[in-house]
Amino acid sequence: MALEKLSESLKNALRRVFRASLIDPKLIDDLVSEIRKALIAADVNIELASKIAESIRKRSLAEKPAKTLTAREHTINIVFEELTKFLGAEEGKVEAKAKLTKILLVGLYGSGKTTTAGKLAKYFKKQGLKPALVQLDVWRPAAYEQLSQLSEKVKVPFYGVKDEKDPLKIIKKFEPDFSRFDIVIFDSSGRDALNKELISEIRNVRDALKPEHVLLVISGDIGQAARRQAEAFHEAAGVNGVIVTKLDGTAKGGGALTACAATNAKVKFIGLGEHIEDFEEFKPKNFVSRLLGMGDLETLLEKAKEAISEETAEKLGKKILKGDISLTDLYQQMEALKKMGPLSQIMNMIPGMGAANIPKELLNVQEEKMKVWKFVMDSMTPQEKDSPDIISARRIERIAKGAGRPEQDVRDLLKQYAQMKKVMKMMGNPKQMQKMMKMFGGKLPNLPA
Ligand code: GDP
Ligand code: MG
C-alpha cells in the first residue's frame, strides 16, 4: 500500500485514543504531537503539519461529540476529517465526455508519464470506453517502443512516428483518426527541468491539440518539492490536474500529496507501482480511511458491485448464447445493467465478449427510452411480454392507449427487442458474429471457439 510508514505511525497515534479510558486535553496533546511528527516524517511541510495538528487539537477540545458518537469515535472522526481536508477533500474526477476527450500528459524525465499513459488507457478501457495512445515524446530515443509495447499489453490502438522530431507533425498526421475514440491519451517529452524549451514544446502541443485535460505527472519521491513543480507547470503550461506516481516506493509521498492538493491543479490519480494495474483514482476520503486503518468502504462497495455485475453478466451471457430472451428479461437486464454501468463494461466480463466491437447505440440505452418502455410494458399482458411475437396491430393500439403513448413508441420497443434478439443470437454463433461485425465495419479478433 501507499505511504506504509505514515500509515503505521498514524495508526499508532490513534491507538492512544482507542486505549484511553478518558479523552482529556493531555491525551489530545499527545495525539496531535504524534500526528504532527508522523506527517513531518512523510515530508509534509512543517508549517502545514503544524496547521493540521492544530486544527485537530482545537476541534477535539471545542466540539462536543454528536449524539451518535462516543468521545473516542468523535476524536478519530476529527482526525479523519482534518487529514482528508488537507489532501483535497473533494475528489478531482477526470470526466470523459460523450464525445472525444483528449488528455495530454506532461512532466519531467522519469516522472512516469509513459507508464501512466498505459495505466490511464487501461483505466478508461475498464469503464467501457474506447481509448487510444499517441506518442509525442520526440526526445527520448526509446519512447516510441515503450508506449507501443504498453499499448499492446493494454490492447489499445497506438499512434506514433518513429524518429519524427516534430510532435506537431505527428498530431497532424493522425488527427483525422482521433474522432474514432472516446479518449485519446498523449504522452509527451520531458526534460531534466522545466526549462524554456520544454515550456515552449508543451505550449505548442497544447495549442495544436486543445486537450480537455493537461495532467502533470509528478514522481512522489520528490516530496513537498512537488508543490513548486506543480505551480511552475501550472503557470507555464496551464496544467489542470496532477498524477502523483511512485507512491509505493517512497517515504515522502505524504509531502507530495499534501503539496499538490494545496495547488490549483488537484491530484486526480495516483501511481502505486510499475504494473499497469497499480493505479487508482485519487479519492481523499478513501485514501485517508485506508491510511488510518479504518477500512475503505467505498472500495469495498465497488468490489461488491463488481461481483454482482459478474453474476448478472454470467446469466446474461447464457441467455445470449441461447438467443432466447423475453421482453421482461430484456427490460430487467437493461435496468440492472443501467445501475451497474455501461453494458460494454459488463460485456468485457463475459469470456470472449470483451473483444467484440458491439455498436455503441445498442449498448447505451438512454434513460429517456427506458422510461417510455416501462410505460409501454406496464400496459402489456404477461403473455405479450413473454412472447412479443403475438403482438398484432390491434394489440399495439390497445397497449399504446393503455400506456398513454403514441403507437410508434410500442413499435419502437418491439423493433429494439427484435434487433437485440438478433444481435444476441448472432453473438452465440461466431460465424454470424463475424458477419455482423463486417456489417458494422468493425473487426472482431479472437472469438471463442
Ligand atoms: P517518463 O520518462 O516520465 O515517461 O517515465 P516512465 O514512464 O518511463 O517511468 C520511469 C520509471 O518509473 C520506469 O522505470 C517506471 O517503471 C517507473 N514507474 C512509473 N510509475 C511508477 C509507479 O507508480 N511506481 C513505481 N514503483 N515505479 C513507477
Ligand atoms: Mg516517457
Side-chain angles (χ1 to χ4, degrees):
M1 97 162 245
L3 318 191
E4 219 151 318
K5 244 181 156 171
L6 176 60
S7 176
E8 255 335 291
S9 346
L10 287 175
K11 277 189 254 178
N12 272 335
L14 283 185
R15 243 169 243 141
R16 271 178 197 279
V17 181
F18 283 119
R19 270 197 242 112
S21 50
L22 184 74
I23 313 264
D24 58 9
K26 166 86 176 60
L27 182 100
I28 299 289
D29 277 347
D30 290 345
L31 171 72
V32 298
S33 124
E34 234 176 284
I35 290 176
R36 182 174 171 276
K37 260 193 246 156
L39 291 172
I40 291 171
D43 201 41
V44 173
N45 172 286
I46 293 182
E47 235 170 82
L48 183 59
S50 305
K51 205 163 139 190
I52 296 173
E54 188 50 28
S55 44
I56 294 173
R57 199 180 71 84
K58 265 202 190 133
R59 283 188 60 191
S60 302
L61 295 176
E63 290 176 20
K64 291 260 168 309
K67 268 200 193 109
T68 49
L69 294 183
T70 64
R72 270 195 202 95
E73 288 165 341
H74 174 64
T75 309
I76 289 165
N77 191 45
I78 289 173
V79 173
F80 169 76
E81 283 181 5
E82 290 303 307
L83 285 176
T84 307
K85 192 164 106 194
F86 287 97
L87 276 174
E90 295 304 315
E91 44 195 80
K93 236 179 145 55
V94 169
E95 298 284 354
K97 290 184 298 193
K99 66 171 183 69
L100 168 65
T101 301
K102 285 173 276 183
I103 299 178
L104 172 63
L105 298 180
V106 301
L108 301 181
Y109 273 147
S111 58
K113 289 180 296 301
T114 307
T115 313
T116 301
K119 289 175 173 181
L120 269 175
K122 167 111 193 221
Y123 166 86
F124 287 117
K125 195 176 166 184
K126 254 171 62 191
Q127 298 181 3
L129 296 164
K130 231 167 121 186
L133 286 162
V134 183
Q135 184 53 283
L136 299 179
D137 182 351
V138 292
W139 270 72
R140 180 165 277 192
Y144 177 93
E145 281 80 9
Q146 194 190 351
L147 192 62
S148 140
Q149 279 162 18
L150 272 172
S151 73
E152 265 169 46
K153 217 186 231 173
V154 191
K155 298 197 175 64
V156 153
F158 168 74
Y159 295 90
V161 184
K162 220 180 147 156
D163 298 327
E164 172 57 66
K165 288 292 170 226
D166 182 358
L168 300 185
K169 280 194 185 143
I170 304 178
I171 294 172
K172 232 195 189 121
K173 176 162 183 193
F174 299 120
E175 207 158 29
D177 270 36
F178 296 159
S179 59
R180 291 173 38 206
F181 302 97
D182 299 316
I183 314 252
V184 183
I185 301 156
F186 300 87
D187 193 8
S188 72
S189 311
R191 296 292 188 283
D192 287 326
L194 182 61
N195 56 24
K196 274 197 188 122
E197 198 181 49
L198 179 56
I199 293 174
S200 111
E201 186 175 326
I202 293 175
R203 283 189 180 158
N204 287 339
V205 166
R206 192 196 57 194
D207 292 347
L209 285 177
K210 302 197 174 49
E212 278 70 22
H213 304 279
V214 182
L215 301 181
L216 170 65
V217 181
I218 286 189
S219 172
D221 57 18
I222 66 169
Q224 54 177 298
R227 174 157 190 174
R228 239 173 302 128
Q229 204 181 104
E231 279 169 353
F233 268 90
H234 181 59
E235 213 164 279
V239 163
N240 52 8
V242 178
I243 299 175
V244 182
T245 64
K246 305 188 195 177
L247 282 177
D248 51 311
T250 172
K252 290 186 171 183
L257 283 175
T258 45
C260 291
T263 68
N264 283 325
K266 299 275 181 266
V267 181
K268 310 267 187 185
F269 295 95
I270 50 179
L272 300 160
E274 295 188 40
H275 299 290
I276 295 274
E277 298 77 28
D278 304 331
F279 186 68
E280 60 185 47
E281 237 177 274
F282 183 59
K283 298 180 174 172
K285 275 186 194 158
N286 301 28
F287 190 81
V288 173
S289 59
R290 260 185 290 166
L291 213 53
L292 298 180
M294 290 157 57
D296 182 346
L297 195 64
E298 218 172 307
T299 306
L300 266 177
L301 285 177
E302 262 166 37
K303 285 209 178 117
K305 205 171 91 178
E306 268 171 35
I308 294 167
S309 55
E310 243 167 89
E311 204 178 285
T312 311
E314 207 181 290
K315 270 195 214 146
L316 179 64
K318 280 191 190 136
K319 291 227 173 219
I320 286 172
L321 292 178
K322 279 200 276 174
D324 83 26
I325 185 163
S326 77
L327 208 41
T328 318
D329 281 331
L330 178 70
Y331 187 84
Q332 272 171 1
Q333 295 288 4
M334 289 194 162
E335 181 107 280
L337 292 170
K338 201 179 66 193
K339 273 191 219 126
M340 280 178 292
L343 183 53
S344 46
Q345 198 176 328
I346 312 291
M347 286 298 183
N348 279 331
M349 292 182 210
I350 308 172
M353 282 294 166
N357 276 318
I358 296 154
K360 237 184 170 170
E361 309 78 75
L362 278 179
L363 295 181
N364 294 338
V365 181
Q366 301 118 21
E367 200 74 42
E368 284 302 303
K369 247 188 199 165
M370 291 291 291
K371 258 188 228 151
V372 173
W373 289 357
K374 181 94 179 77
F375 282 136
V376 171
M377 284 180 61
D378 282 345
S379 81
M380 286 182 184
T381 66
Q383 209 194 352
E384 284 165 345
K385 279 187 270 196
D386 275 345
S387 346
D389 291 343
I390 64 168
I391 299 178
S392 58
R394 254 187 47 213
R395 282 182 195 247
I396 289 179
E397 196 186 337
R398 193 211 77 236
I399 294 165
K401 263 203 194 115
R405 305 285 317 178
E407 282 181 33
Q408 192 52 44
D409 282 348
V410 185
R411 289 205 187 86
D412 280 346
L413 171 61
L414 292 174
K415 205 171 122 198
Q416 191 83 15
Y417 166 74
Q419 214 174 347
M420 201 67 175
K421 197 167 159 174
K422 212 157 126 195
V423 170
M424 287 184 171
K425 245 190 205 150
M426 283 179 181
M427 279 192 232
N429 179 340
K431 271 200 187 131
Q432 284 286 346
M433 186 74 170
Q434 223 121 24
K435 228 163 86 187
M436 181 181 81
M437 283 304 142
K438 267 198 205 128
M439 226 160 70
F440 287 114
K443 278 183 292 224
L444 189 69
N446 304 330
L447 261 178

